[in-house]
Amino acid sequence: MGPLYAAGFTTAFGAHGIAANLGGFSADAVTSLLVLGGLLALYDGAEVVLKPVFGSLADRIGARPVLLGGLAGFALASAVYVVADSPGWLWAARLGQGAAASAFSPSASALVARLNPAAKHGRAFGSYGFYKSIGYTLGPLLGGVLVWVGGLRLLFAVLAVLGAAVACWAALAVPAVPPLPKARQTLLDLARRLADPAFLAPTAALAAATAALSVGVGFLPVSGRAAGLGTVATGAAVSVLAACAAVVQPRAGRALDAGRLTTRGGITAGLLLTSAGLACATLPGLTGVLTAAALTGAGTGLITPLGFAALATSTPQERLGQTMGAAELGRELGDAGGPLLVAGVATLTTLTHGYAVLAVLLAVAPAIGFVRRRTAG
């Protein structure tokens, strides 16, 4: 499992490490906010388009070859900018990184499910999410140090070495998991499976968690600055959010496997915690920012391993890659949609109202579920 956890760390570290440092340390390549937005969108845009494709490919030829090919591609794409060091090749490198991550990320998720029995899915996905959270946390911090020491090329060089090292580790340690035979699937069959509540409910929860996490990382520093807090305090708040998510995920997975927590109950609690965190973001000062960070991190930490465990349990093993790729697509849409929603509302009113709107939306599903259970009772 170690190389799979390392793959999760790699995609998270690569995404946030470069994104957090493009604007401040690459004036030759990032000449305007429009250029910066385009470079940031390349990585996520490639993932939105390609993750379902590579997920289906993993089902067809096996997840291990797609994992290894994606990691090798990530190393190669990172090395491109190290060698070329020009603005045009930065675009190519970023696009290549996103395409490669689209291959090895859903493949790693599918292998986490295939290599663990259903009774240990919670623990496995909790650990996988923990290492991804560590990558999200260290990316901006360690990436900033690397760029400060040796420029953007040094960060890309480290990512190239990391991708190659994880690929070699995976080649040595991850066993071959042959694709399983499966019945022919039409587009209608696929649409029916993806419209099934067993897929839609966990995927929607994962998208909601990612939306809240992205909003917290992006907008809590803005709230902190508006309250007169310095960069150290606002940076600490974002670190609290990521740390809480990292700490909660493996514990939530172990509680699920031990029967102390159900998938529906845990996801409902996670949505309510996340909603409460966003509501706390409307409070002024450091207390509001830190409370929002802690609750949002804990809520998303509950949702993530339980959502993936639910998908792994309800999906035929021969379709795991396709399901994980589609679920990752849902997360990417949440990653983009959450900040867009909050920013849109904030533009028309205030940032406080943007937090409030997203908090209400996250609380709607648990509220509807509660009403239905009361009505049925």
Side-chain angles (χ1 to χ4, degrees):
M1 297 301 296
L4 302 181
Y5 297 155
F9 172 87
T10 300
T11 183
F13 182 79
H16 279 207
I18 295 177
N21 292 285
L22 274 174
F25 296 94
S26 52
D28 58 329
V30 181
T31 55
S32 68
L33 289 177
L34 182 61
V35 172
L36 176 60
L39 282 168
L40 293 174
L42 268 181
Y43 194 98
D44 291 330
E47 289 191 311
V48 167
V49 174
L50 295 176
K51 273 186 173 179
V53 176
F54 282 117
S56 296
L57 181 64
D59 290 333
R60 184 181 298 273
I61 67 172
R64 186 175 181 271
V66 179
L67 172 76
L68 298 178
L71 287 167
F74 187 86
L76 181 62
S78 302
V80 163
Y81 183 69
V82 178
V83 175
D85 189 23
S86 68
W89 284 107
L90 177 60
W91 287 79
R94 195 63 177 154
L95 179 61
Q97 285 181 329
S102 303
F104 72 77
S105 182
S107 300
S109 299
L111 283 167
V112 168
R114 286 288 303 274
L115 295 175
N116 289 277
K120 294 184 177 180
H121 277 168
R123 183 190 302 267
F125 280 108
S127 298
Y128 182 71
F130 170 80
Y131 285 100
K132 287 194 76 169
S133 295
I134 295 299
Y136 288 132
T137 304
L138 290 182
L141 300 174
L142 184 55
V145 172
L146 291 171
V147 171
W148 178 73
V149 171
L152 201 60
R153 290 178 72 187
L154 178 59
L155 176 55
F156 272 88
V158 169
L159 289 173
V161 173
L162 177 63
V166 176
C168 292
W169 187 12
L172 293 172
V174 176
V177 182
L180 297 173
K182 50 185 176 290
R184 183 178 178 84
Q185 176 182 252
T186 66
L187 288 177
L188 182 58
D189 294 331
L190 174 61
R192 285 173 177 166
R193 192 162 60 81
L194 297 185
D196 193 300
F199 172 83
L200 280 180
T203 302
L206 289 169
T210 308
L213 191 64
S214 184
V215 165
V217 170
F219 289 100
L220 283 180
V222 177
S223 298
R225 286 195 297 271
L229 303 176
T231 56
V232 174
T234 55
V238 174
S239 297
V240 166
L241 189 155
C244 287
V247 168
V248 168
Q249 287 194 60
R251 287 169 170 76
R254 287 195 294 268
L256 176 67
D257 291 342
R260 300 191 304 271
L261 187 66
T262 64
T263 300
R264 185 172 71 176
I267 289 177
T268 298
L271 288 170
L272 291 175
L273 270 175
T274 306
S275 177
L278 291 168
C280 288
T282 64
L283 302 175
L286 180 61
T287 301
V289 172
L290 287 179
T291 306
L295 290 178
T296 302
T300 57
L302 260 177
I303 294 168
T304 303
L306 302 185
F308 277 116
L311 288 171
T313 301
S314 63
T315 301
Q317 288 209 337
E318 65 272 17
R319 302 288 183 188
L320 274 172
Q322 187 180 71
T323 295
M324 293 303 176
E328 290 280 2
L329 170 60
R331 295 187 76 195
E332 295 297 336
L333 294 176
D335 195 18
L340 286 175
L341 172 65
V342 171
V345 174
T347 301
L348 297 174
T349 55
T350 65
L351 182 55
T352 298
H353 287 88
Y355 290 136
V357 168
L358 186 56
V360 170
L361 289 177
L362 263 63
V364 165
I368 291 175
F370 176 76
V371 171
R372 284 179 175 174
R373 288 193 296 271
R374 290 293 299 271
T375 303

